[in-house]
């Protein structure tokens, strides 16, 4: 389910920090293209998710981001 996967992406990034699309895809048993597509609605929802290109790149949440605070509207 897509909603479950979006939440899983947030929780993985919150607990592990920076992760590449490939790492997220492997963890969630989907393709990297699926992760790229899933990032768009997270951005649209106002989630502070950043993607860095390059050898040490990957996705990460803004420092101090909390899924709990986002859910409560704080």
């Amino acid at each position: 389910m897509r909603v479950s996967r979006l939440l899983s992406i947030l929780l993985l990034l919150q607990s592990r920090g920076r992760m590449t699309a490939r790492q997220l895809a492997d963890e969630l048993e989907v393709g990297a293209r699926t992760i790229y597509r899933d990032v768009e609605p997270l951005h649209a929802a106002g989630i502070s998710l950043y993607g860095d290109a390059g050898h040490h790149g990957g996705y990460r949440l803004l420092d101090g981001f909390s899924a709990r605070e986002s859910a409560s509207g704080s």
Side-chain angles (χ1 to χ4, degrees):
M1 294 195 136
R2 187 169 189 203
V3 173
S4 176
R5 193 172 56 244
L6 295 176
L7 181 57
S8 294
I9 290 170
L10 287 177
L11 294 175
L12 282 167
L13 292 174
Q14 190 172 6
S15 65
R16 298 187 188 174
R18 184 184 313 253
M19 292 181 75
T20 66
R22 172 57 35 215
Q23 289 169 324
L24 287 165
D26 288 347
E27 186 71 30
L28 299 173
E29 299 179 351
V30 296
R33 294 280 290 155
T34 299
I35 300 300
Y36 297 138
R37 283 190 299 268
D38 285 349
V39 167
E40 293 302 319
L42 292 173
H43 281 289
I47 303 298
S48 299
L49 176 69
Y50 293 95
D52 296 319
H55 182 67
H56 295 288
Y59 290 106
R60 64 182 178 91
L61 296 171
L62 180 66
D63 291 340
F65 173 84
S66 170
R68 173 176 275 169
E69 290 174 8
S70 288
S72 68
S74 297

